Amino acid sequence: MFYIVCVLLFFISPLLGVLSAFIHVLIKKKVTNNDFLLFIVLFALLLGILNSGKIPDSDLLIYELWFYEVKNYSFFDYLFYLGREPFFFFYNYIIYYSVVGSFELYLLLHTVLCYIIMGYAMLRMHNTFKTPRVNLITCLLVLFLFPNLFTLSIHLIRQFLATSLLLLFIVEVTFYNKKKIILFIIAFLIHTSSILMGVLYLMKKLKSNKNVLMLVVIILSVFSYFVFKLADSVFQESSGTNMLNYGLSRIQNRALFEDLQEKLSIINFMLFFFIVFVFYQLKNRWKVKGSAALLYVSLMFLIFISVNYSDTEFALRFSFYMYFLFPIAVYFFLNIWK
C-alpha cells in the first residue's frame, strides 16, 4: 500500500514522492530490497525529468542529431552509422521507436535506465556486507546528487551508459566472483574506452602476487603515454572511419581540448586520492573481499590520469571513471570511519 501512495505522491510532486521513499527507507524498522528499489526508481525518474527539459548544446547536439537520424536508415545500416560501437546505435534505434521519436522522452528514459542500473549495483554490493543501512542510503544519495555524474548523464551519453553497466560489472566481479562478461562486452560496444575495465579479470588472475600486479598496473598506465605520442605519427598515414582511426584522430586532436585542463584541479585529484586511499585501507587493513581489484583499478586510473595530464582530453575523459567509483568509496569510508 505504501508503494502505491508513494507513486501517487510522485505524480503530484516528484520531489515529494522521492522524499517519502527516502524517509521510508530511513525510519522503517526492517527495510527490504524492494523498499530500496522504490527509492532508486523514483529518484532516477526525478533526475530523468530534470534532464528531459535540457536545451541541447555541446555534445548533446550531436546525440540529438544521431537520434533523429534513426528514421533515415534501415536497422542494419544504422547499427554501423559511424562504423564503430554498434550497440549504442542499437540502443538508440530501439528507444527511438519506443518513445515515438521524442528526444525529450529519450533523455528521460536514458537517465532513468542508467541510474537504476547504478543504484541496483550499489544495492547488490550492500547485500554482501553486514553494514548499517545508513551506509547504503548515503552511498545512494552521493550517487544521485553528485553533480559531476549528473552532468555526464546528459553530455556524455555513450560513456555514461557504458560506465553504468561497468559499475554493475565491477560489483559482480569483485564481490560475487561472477564473470558477467556480457556486461563488459556490451559496455565495450557502447564506448571503446571501456576496454580498460578488462583489467579486472587480470586482477583476479594475479591477485596472489601483489608485486607483479602493481608492476602491471604501472606499466599499463605509463605505456599509454607513449602509445598516445606514437599515435600522432601513425594517424598521418591512416584514413577512414573505423574504430582505430577514430581513436587515433581523438589522440591527434587532443591539443584542441587544452581549455579543459582547468577542470582537473587539485580538488579532482584530492577526490581521486581519497578513492584510492579508501580502497587501500579495505585491502590492507580491513581485508574486505574483492577490495584488491578495486584498489588496483582505481590506482591504474590515477596513474593514467597523472601521466597523461598534459594530454588533456584523455586525462579528463578517463577521470570520469573515477567519479563512478566515488559512491563505492563513500560506502566503505563510512564503515572505516565508524
Side-chain angles (χ1 to χ4, degrees):
M1 182 64 183
F2 174 79
Y3 294 170
I4 297 175
V5 172
C6 223
V7 172
L8 289 175
L9 285 174
F10 185 87
F11 279 109
I12 296 172
S13 168
L15 185 59
L16 186 59
V18 171
L19 285 174
S20 299
F22 170 71
I23 294 173
H24 181 67
V25 297
L26 190 63
I27 66 174
K28 186 181 178 182
K29 288 186 178 180
K30 188 176 180 180
V31 184
T32 65
N33 283 345
N34 288 335
D35 295 325
F36 277 113
L37 285 173
L38 175 67
F39 174 59
I40 290 168
V41 170
L42 292 183
F43 216 137
L45 280 168
L46 174 61
L47 296 181
I49 292 171
L50 293 176
N51 271 345
S52 67
K54 294 286 183 66
I55 297 175
D57 64 347
S58 188
D59 287 359
L60 191 55
L61 289 171
I62 298 174
Y63 288 112
E64 183 182 38
L65 171 65
W66 291 350
F67 178 76
Y68 286 125
E69 282 282 80
V70 169
K71 62 181 181 295
N72 299 324
Y73 288 81
S74 67
F75 175 71
F76 289 104
D77 287 339
Y78 188 72
L79 286 185
F80 298 95
Y81 178 74
L82 293 182
R84 65 180 189 275
E85 298 153 340
F87 200 89
F88 174 73
F89 293 96
F90 170 79
Y91 170 82
N92 264 11
Y93 193 93
I94 297 300
I95 295 186
Y96 177 86
Y97 287 106
S98 299
V99 300
V100 293
S102 170
F103 189 63
E104 290 76 15
L105 288 178
Y106 169 75
L107 295 179
L108 188 152
L109 188 59
H110 163 76
T111 305
V112 170
L113 178 63
C114 291
Y115 272 105
I116 287 178
I117 292 173
M118 292 189 292
Y120 175 71
M122 296 300 96
L123 181 59
R124 287 277 290 169
M125 179 183 69
H126 177 71
N127 287 338
T128 64
F129 299 99
K130 294 180 180 179
T131 59
R133 79 176 77 170
V134 68
N135 288 33
L136 178 59
I137 293 173
T138 306
C139 170
L140 291 174
L141 289 176
V142 169
L143 173 68
F144 288 120
L145 297 176
F146 189 31
N148 301 57
L149 276 181
F150 186 59
T151 300
L152 296 181
S153 70
I154 198 69
H155 287 293
L156 296 179
I157 289 178
R158 282 188 306 125
Q159 188 172 2
F160 193 80
L161 175 61
T163 314
S164 299
L165 293 170
L166 287 176
L167 196 62
L168 182 57
F169 170 73
I170 290 171
V171 170
E172 295 292 341
V173 170
T174 56
F175 303 125
Y176 287 89
N177 202 27
K178 295 181 179 180
K179 293 184 178 180
K180 296 292 183 180
I181 190 65
I182 188 63
L183 291 174
F184 173 72
I185 293 174
I186 292 174
F188 173 71
L189 293 176
I190 292 174
H191 202 276
T192 52
S193 66
S194 302
I195 196 171
L196 284 180
M197 279 300 176
V199 77
L200 275 174
Y201 286 112
L202 185 62
M203 304 300 170
K204 289 293 183 179
K205 295 295 182 182
L206 298 178
K207 64 181 179 180
S208 60
N209 193 328
K210 61 181 181 181
N211 293 326
V212 172
L213 189 52
M214 176 67 77
L215 182 62
V216 169
V217 168
I218 294 174
I219 290 174
L220 285 175
S221 304
V222 176
F223 181 69
S224 64
Y225 176 79
F226 297 101
V227 170
F228 293 165
K229 291 295 184 183
L230 178 63
D232 280 335
S233 59
V234 173
F235 179 78
Q236 301 298 332
E237 302 175 2
S238 303
S239 60
T241 58
N242 59 49
M243 194 177 298
L244 176 61
N245 288 328
Y246 168 73
L248 293 176
S249 68
R250 297 302 295 267
I251 294 170
Q252 187 201 39
N253 294 319
R254 62 188 181 278
L256 299 175
F257 296 84
E258 290 178 354
D259 60 307
L260 296 176
Q261 196 162 1
E262 296 178 2
K263 295 184 179 179
L264 277 175
S265 63
I266 186 63
I267 296 178
N268 292 97
F269 279 97
M270 287 175 63
L271 176 66
F272 302 156
F273 278 111
F274 166 78
I275 294 169
V276 172
F277 168 77
V278 172
F279 294 155
Y280 175 82
Q281 294 294 329
L282 288 175
K283 177 184 180 297
N284 294 285
R285 185 174 176 183
W286 285 274
K287 310 294 184 183
V288 172
K289 172 188 173 183
S291 57
L294 288 173
L295 171 62
Y296 289 117
V297 165
S298 60
L299 185 61
M300 178 189 69
F301 279 115
L302 178 59
I303 297 173
F304 183 95
I305 294 164
S306 301
V307 170
N308 294 286
Y309 182 68
S310 59
D311 298 294
T312 312
E313 187 194 7
F314 278 87
L316 182 63
R317 288 184 180 270
F318 281 102
S319 70
F320 297 156
Y321 286 106
M322 293 291 273
Y323 296 152
F324 289 85
L325 296 176
F326 182 48
I328 299 178
V330 169
Y331 177 86
F332 289 112
F333 178 73
L334 292 175
N335 208 46
I336 293 172
W337 183 261
K338 178 182 177 182

